[in-house]
Every structure is written in C-alpha cells, then in structure tokens.
Amino acid sequence: MSTPPLEEKQHGIEVVDSHGYLQDHHSGDEEVGVVNKAAPLSRDLQNRHMQMIAIGGSIGAGLFVGSGKVLQSGGPASLIICYMIVGVMLLFTCQALAEMAVLYPVNGAFYTYVVRFVDPSWGFAMGWDYALSWLTVLPFELTAASITIRFWRDDINVGVWITVFLVVLSVIQIFGVRGYGEVEFILSIIKILACIGFIILGIVINCGGTWKTATNPDYRHYLGAKYWHDPGAFNNGFNGFCGVFVVAAFAFGGTEMVGLAAAESANPRKSIPLATKQVFWRICFFYIVNLFILGLIVKSSDDRLLNSKGANTKYSPFVIAIQDAGIKVLPSIFNAVITIAVISVANSCTFGSTRTMQALAERGMAPKFLAYVDKHGRPLWCIVIQILFGFLAFIGEAGNSDDIFAWLLSLSGLGYFFVWGSICLAHIRFRSGWKAQGYSLDQIPYKPTLGVAGSWVGFLLNIICLMATFYNALYPSPDSKPDAKAFFQAYLAAPVVLFLYLLWKVISRDWRRLYVPLLQMDLKSGLRMLEQHEIDAAAQQKSLKSLPMRIVHGLF
C-alpha cells in the first residue's frame, strides 16, 4: 500500500502531498488527497430516508437484548444514567458532524474530516477501526437474527436462517443506496411503533392493568418504583455502573451514519440538519423512556437476565416483561420486531463498512480495487468484502461460538468512543482552521446550538467513558481481580487503534508533526458554504428569533 508523490496541478486545483497536507490554495469541488479517483456514489437518499435512518436506524440488539445484561449487572439507575450520558455525548457529536457534513458532503464523512482537520494517520486509524467494527458486527447480527427464530422453531439449524438472511442482504445491495434507504425507512417505522407500543404496555403493567392475566404475582398490583428499592437502583457499585458504557455505545452505534450518508443524499443541506434533530427524539424517547419503563417492570435480580447478552435474544428483557404479563401472541410479535431490528442493523453494517472502505481506498489508505464504484453508484468490491465477512456467522456452529463472538465484538463497542471523540475533535480543529484562514461563521450553512462548546463537552465525555470502561475491564465486579483475557475482550479496540495509527505513520513516513497545521488544512475541496444573499437572508431570519427560541429550534 504505497503512497504516491505530490500530484500534478489540474484545472487550477492544487493537491496535497503523500501525507495529506495542503500545499497551496485551490478552487473547485474536486477532493484533494484523492489518489484513486472513482465514479461518484449515487445520490438517491431522500429526506424521509435520512430522518428514519437517524431516528431508528441503529435500534437493534443493543437496546432490545443487551440492556438486560447491564440491567442485571448495573441496576436500573445505572442503566438510565449511563445511557443518558452516552446519549448527550452522541447528541453533541451528531450536531458537530452535521455542521461538517452539510459544509462538506464528501465520501467517508467523518473519516475524511479527521484526515483533513486532525491528522492523516489518526484518520487512517479511525477509518479502518470503524470499517472493521461494522465488518465484524455483521456476522453477530446475522446470528442474532437467526437465533430469534428459535422462539418459534428450535428444530431448524441456525445455519439455515443465517443463509436466508445473508441472501436477503445481498439482494438489497443490488438496489444500491436506494435499496438501503427504502429498507431502513420501512424497518425503522416498525421499530418506532414497537417502542411506542412497549412504553404504553409498560405503563399499563406498572399500574397493575394486567392483573387478570399476569403470570408474575407482582404484575397483579401497582408496582411504581418498587424494583428501584428491592433489589435496588444500583448493583455491584461503581464497577457495575462503569460496565454499562460499552453496551450503551453498542446500542447507540450507527447514529453517526447520517453523516456518512451525506455523500449520497439528494439534498444534504436540507436533509442532514433535519435528520440530526431527530437524534434528540431517539435518545430521549426511544432509548431513555423505554429503558426507564423497563427498569420499573423487570427485576434487575431476575436470573433470566444473566442470559440476556450476545446473540441470545430469547432472553430479551422486553420479551420477558411481556411474557410475565401473560399476554398471548404479543411475545411472538415483539420477538418478530427484534428479528426485524437486528436485520435492520445488519443492513446498516453493509452501508457503514462499504462506504468507509471506499473512501479509504480513494485516499490510497486501502487497496486500490476497493475504490471502484460502478455506473449505478455502488462500491461493488467493498460490498463483496462485507458479504464475505457475513460468512463468519457460521462460526455459530462451533462449540465455543460465544467466546469467538466476544472477541469479534471487542472491536465494536469501545471503538465507537474513539470515533465519536475524533468527530468532536475534528470539529474543534475545523473551527480553529476556519477562523485562522479568514472565513466567517456566517458562511456555514448549519451550526450547532452550542457550537464548539458542545464539541468540547462531547470530546470530554468520550474520554470519561473510555476511562470508566478501562476501569471496568480491569475490575468487572467489586471482588474481581485483573484478568488479561477479560481485559482485552473489553478493551481490544484501544491497542488496535494505536497499532493502526503507528502503521500509517510508518507507511507514510510522516513523523514531522502530530496534527495538521491550521493554515495547511484543506478547507476548500468539496466546500458548500453560503453565498452572500443566503447569509443576508439567514441574518434577517435570526434577528426575528429570541435566544431561547433559537435554542429550541436547534434541537427540534
């Protein structure tokens, strides 16, 4: 994987050297640093696709299954607090990403921003870490979707369903990004309706409304906050609290996909801000409210929650609550929703990994053949690689499949913290470079309500989450001692990211600096800033709104 020397000037556009540093000012839309120019990706994602991707795109096993294990290990209060912390962090992260994605709707989104505004080597590490995360999550999601079928038929081998779902995903890829968008639109609506339905049912259960049919004696009476007192709001002290963060990251993983989809959006200036504002609703309503209701109606000491992990969807805390309510048919319906949710995340896997690998290849940071995009705007070889990774799902037939999946997933949950922190850092660096090169904030089409301050909060929260996860990796429970295997299964992404960072430093032989100087940042290629008449119109509209109204408008 060699890097080319300084490219030639073409059509008045200056390019960057092999390390990704801008050599001179330039004009035009061509992306500098691109060494393997490919056909453009298709721009078929509409506003409705983007909004549904933002609201329900990543709701899957992390919420419907993984929440049960951390409810048992951390308690209902830890569950809510940690998910809220990660949710707030992600809200600021997505707003920072939206600003850059509207201004630069280019291939690779945040990976490209990290390369241009932070450091090419760190961008290489983030790009490959993100791609590997989605590559390895796909076989897990396929297995999880297949295991949900055991709820109805446990006499059919899991491998049969893995094959069926893998074929379905392959067919979706034939229709390109439009196929991805349409599938996510439909499946997200189903997931959203299920979340709303569970909230209503949870309130009824908590108020004792199912007493005639309930198989759980507690459900025959008003529960209130009973389970927050017995067995308690927190389990396993600080260790249990810290252990929730990785599962929360896995549950929220994919929210940043909105920024990645910018390059294939028909109207990124309109659709991305609208989609980003929907993240607020997903965090508050579909995660926090659902999990709060869940903690009120499911005991954290329930032994069944011990199996609520990995791909074992049979012990979803949501299904457990419905079964204990004694409502016929509904457990099967919700299990079908979980199957749909997991397939939806598997569909997102193919999008996240393929677009990132294609962007990496365009910059010479991946094998050249991965940059190929066909006439229909599909990165074909990247799709082939992702589908081949899907065949790893068949390791579920191995006797030690749980251990194998634990190692595969060790790259994903923690890796999101590095990616989200890097997005915030890229935004902070971008704003500094924007000011240093003489640009005005008025020229930026979309700006987060809290600006750079929000990115600083998001960046610091990511660091805190990494520290908490590190502590939990060493001491999973109050009476545990450090164990090398358990530590690396929980924290493997950190040494992998460090290895990738140093690998590109060695390949590029770029040891001159640790970051891109402000005056050498590429702020012009792919730029879509406001024209003067648009700035005047925006200023007039802003003057009509009070500060509180501007804050509300920024969120909603």
Short mmCIF file of all heavy atoms in Angstrom, two decimals, residues 448-472:
data_model
loop_
_atom_site.label_atom_id
_atom_site.label_comp_id
_atom_site.label_asym_id
_atom_site.label_seq_id
_atom_site.Cartn_x
_atom_site.Cartn_y
_atom_site.Cartn_z
N PRO A 448 -24.30 24.02 15.09
CA PRO A 448 -24.90 23.52 16.33
C PRO A 448 -25.23 24.66 17.27
O PRO A 448 -24.57 25.70 17.27
CB PRO A 448 -23.80 22.62 16.92
CG PRO A 448 -22.90 22.30 15.78
CD PRO A 448 -22.95 23.47 14.86
N THR A 449 -26.26 24.45 18.09
CA THR A 449 -26.70 25.49 19.02
C THR A 449 -25.59 25.93 19.96
O THR A 449 -25.41 27.12 20.21
CB THR A 449 -27.90 24.98 19.84
OG1 THR A 449 -28.91 24.51 18.96
CG2 THR A 449 -28.47 26.09 20.71
N LEU A 450 -24.81 24.99 20.48
CA LEU A 450 -23.73 25.31 21.42
C LEU A 450 -22.38 25.44 20.73
O LEU A 450 -21.37 25.66 21.41
CB LEU A 450 -23.66 24.25 22.53
CG LEU A 450 -24.89 24.14 23.42
CD1 LEU A 450 -24.67 23.09 24.51
CD2 LEU A 450 -25.23 25.48 24.07
N GLY A 451 -22.32 25.28 19.44
CA GLY A 451 -21.08 25.48 18.70
C GLY A 451 -19.96 24.57 19.15
O GLY A 451 -20.16 23.38 19.45
N VAL A 452 -18.76 25.14 19.27
CA VAL A 452 -17.58 24.36 19.67
C VAL A 452 -17.69 23.88 21.11
O VAL A 452 -17.15 22.83 21.47
CB VAL A 452 -16.30 25.21 19.47
CG1 VAL A 452 -15.07 24.43 19.92
CG2 VAL A 452 -16.15 25.60 18.01
N ALA A 453 -18.40 24.64 21.95
CA ALA A 453 -18.56 24.24 23.36
C ALA A 453 -19.20 22.85 23.45
O ALA A 453 -18.81 22.02 24.27
CB ALA A 453 -19.41 25.26 24.10
N GLY A 454 -20.20 22.59 22.59
CA GLY A 454 -20.83 21.27 22.59
C GLY A 454 -19.86 20.18 22.18
O GLY A 454 -19.90 19.08 22.74
N SER A 455 -18.97 20.50 21.23
CA SER A 455 -17.97 19.51 20.81
C SER A 455 -16.97 19.23 21.92
O SER A 455 -16.51 18.09 22.08
CB SER A 455 -17.25 20.00 19.56
OG SER A 455 -18.14 20.09 18.47
N TRP A 456 -16.61 20.26 22.68
CA TRP A 456 -15.72 20.05 23.82
C TRP A 456 -16.37 19.14 24.87
O TRP A 456 -15.73 18.25 25.43
CB TRP A 456 -15.31 21.38 24.45
CG TRP A 456 -14.12 22.02 23.80
CD1 TRP A 456 -14.09 23.17 23.08
CD2 TRP A 456 -12.76 21.54 23.84
NE1 TRP A 456 -12.80 23.44 22.64
CE2 TRP A 456 -11.97 22.45 23.09
CE3 TRP A 456 -12.15 20.42 24.40
CZ2 TRP A 456 -10.60 22.27 22.92
CZ3 TRP A 456 -10.78 20.24 24.22
CH2 TRP A 456 -10.02 21.16 23.49
N VAL A 457 -17.66 19.37 25.12
CA VAL A 457 -18.38 18.53 26.08
C VAL A 457 -18.41 17.09 25.57
O VAL A 457 -18.14 16.14 26.33
CB VAL A 457 -19.82 19.05 26.29
CG1 VAL A 457 -20.63 18.06 27.14
CG2 VAL A 457 -19.80 20.41 26.97
N GLY A 458 -18.73 16.91 24.28
CA GLY A 458 -18.76 15.57 23.71
C GLY A 458 -17.41 14.89 23.76
O GLY A 458 -17.30 13.70 24.07
N PHE A 459 -16.35 15.65 23.47
CA PHE A 459 -14.99 15.10 23.49
C PHE A 459 -14.60 14.65 24.89
O PHE A 459 -14.07 13.55 25.08
CB PHE A 459 -14.02 16.16 22.97
CG PHE A 459 -12.58 15.71 22.93
CD1 PHE A 459 -12.16 14.75 22.02
CD2 PHE A 459 -11.64 16.24 23.80
CE1 PHE A 459 -10.84 14.34 21.98
CE2 PHE A 459 -10.32 15.83 23.78
CZ PHE A 459 -9.92 14.88 22.86
N LEU A 460 -14.88 15.48 25.89
CA LEU A 460 -14.52 15.15 27.27
C LEU A 460 -15.35 13.97 27.79
O LEU A 460 -14.83 13.12 28.52
CB LEU A 460 -14.71 16.37 28.17
CG LEU A 460 -13.75 17.54 27.89
CD1 LEU A 460 -14.11 18.75 28.76
CD2 LEU A 460 -12.30 17.13 28.15
N LEU A 461 -16.63 13.91 27.41
CA LEU A 461 -17.46 12.78 27.83
C LEU A 461 -16.96 11.47 27.22
O LEU A 461 -17.02 10.42 27.87
CB LEU A 461 -18.92 13.01 27.44
CG LEU A 461 -19.70 14.03 28.28
CD1 LEU A 461 -21.10 14.23 27.72
CD2 LEU A 461 -19.78 13.57 29.74
N ASN A 462 -16.46 11.53 26.00
CA ASN A 462 -15.87 10.33 25.39
C ASN A 462 -14.66 9.85 26.18
O ASN A 462 -14.48 8.65 26.38
CB ASN A 462 -15.47 10.63 23.94
CG ASN A 462 -16.58 10.37 22.95
OD1 ASN A 462 -16.87 9.22 22.63
ND2 ASN A 462 -17.23 11.43 22.49
N ILE A 463 -13.82 10.78 26.60
CA ILE A 463 -12.65 10.41 27.40
C ILE A 463 -13.08 9.79 28.72
O ILE A 463 -12.51 8.78 29.16
CB ILE A 463 -11.76 11.65 27.63
CG1 ILE A 463 -11.15 12.12 26.30
CG2 ILE A 463 -10.65 11.33 28.64
CD1 ILE A 463 -10.33 13.39 26.42
N ILE A 464 -14.10 10.39 29.36
CA ILE A 464 -14.60 9.85 30.63
C ILE A 464 -15.13 8.43 30.43
O ILE A 464 -14.88 7.53 31.25
CB ILE A 464 -15.68 10.78 31.21
CG1 ILE A 464 -15.07 12.10 31.66
CG2 ILE A 464 -16.41 10.10 32.38
CD1 ILE A 464 -16.08 13.15 32.07
N CYS A 465 -15.86 8.21 29.35
CA CYS A 465 -16.40 6.87 29.07
C CYS A 465 -15.28 5.86 28.84
O CYS A 465 -15.36 4.70 29.28
CB CYS A 465 -17.32 6.92 27.86
SG CYS A 465 -18.89 7.76 28.16
N LEU A 466 -14.22 6.28 28.14
CA LEU A 466 -13.07 5.39 27.92
C LEU A 466 -12.39 5.04 29.24
O LEU A 466 -11.98 3.90 29.45
CB LEU A 466 -12.08 6.06 26.96
CG LEU A 466 -12.47 6.07 25.48
CD1 LEU A 466 -11.52 6.96 24.69
CD2 LEU A 466 -12.45 4.66 24.91
N MET A 467 -12.29 6.02 30.14
CA MET A 467 -11.67 5.77 31.45
C MET A 467 -12.53 4.82 32.28
O MET A 467 -12.01 3.90 32.92
CB MET A 467 -11.47 7.10 32.18
CG MET A 467 -10.44 8.02 31.52
SD MET A 467 -10.43 9.70 32.22
CE MET A 467 -9.95 9.35 33.92
N ALA A 468 -13.85 5.05 32.26
CA ALA A 468 -14.76 4.18 33.01
C ALA A 468 -14.72 2.75 32.48
O ALA A 468 -14.72 1.77 33.24
CB ALA A 468 -16.18 4.73 32.95
N THR A 469 -14.66 2.62 31.16
CA THR A 469 -14.59 1.29 30.54
C THR A 469 -13.28 0.60 30.87
O THR A 469 -13.23 -0.62 31.07
CB THR A 469 -14.76 1.42 29.01
OG1 THR A 469 -15.95 2.14 28.73
CG2 THR A 469 -14.83 0.04 28.37
N PHE A 470 -12.19 1.37 30.91
CA PHE A 470 -10.89 0.82 31.27
C PHE A 470 -10.93 0.24 32.69
O PHE A 470 -10.44 -0.87 32.94
CB PHE A 470 -9.82 1.91 31.18
CG PHE A 470 -8.43 1.43 31.51
CD1 PHE A 470 -7.65 0.80 30.56
CD2 PHE A 470 -7.90 1.62 32.78
CE1 PHE A 470 -6.38 0.35 30.86
CE2 PHE A 470 -6.63 1.18 33.09
CZ PHE A 470 -5.86 0.55 32.12
N TYR A 471 -11.54 1.00 33.60
CA TYR A 471 -11.65 0.53 34.99
C TYR A 471 -12.48 -0.75 35.06
O TYR A 471 -12.13 -1.70 35.75
CB TYR A 471 -12.29 1.62 35.85
CG TYR A 471 -12.51 1.22 37.29
CD1 TYR A 471 -11.47 1.24 38.21
CD2 TYR A 471 -13.77 0.80 37.74
CE1 TYR A 471 -11.67 0.85 39.53
CE2 TYR A 471 -13.99 0.42 39.04
CZ TYR A 471 -12.93 0.45 39.93
OH TYR A 471 -13.12 0.06 41.23
N ASN A 472 -13.61 -0.77 34.32
CA ASN A 472 -14.46 -1.95 34.34
C ASN A 472 -13.79 -3.16 33.69
O ASN A 472 -14.03 -4.30 34.08
CB ASN A 472 -15.79 -1.65 33.63
CG ASN A 472 -16.73 -2.83 33.64
OD1 ASN A 472 -16.88 -3.53 32.65
ND2 ASN A 472 -17.37 -3.08 34.79
#
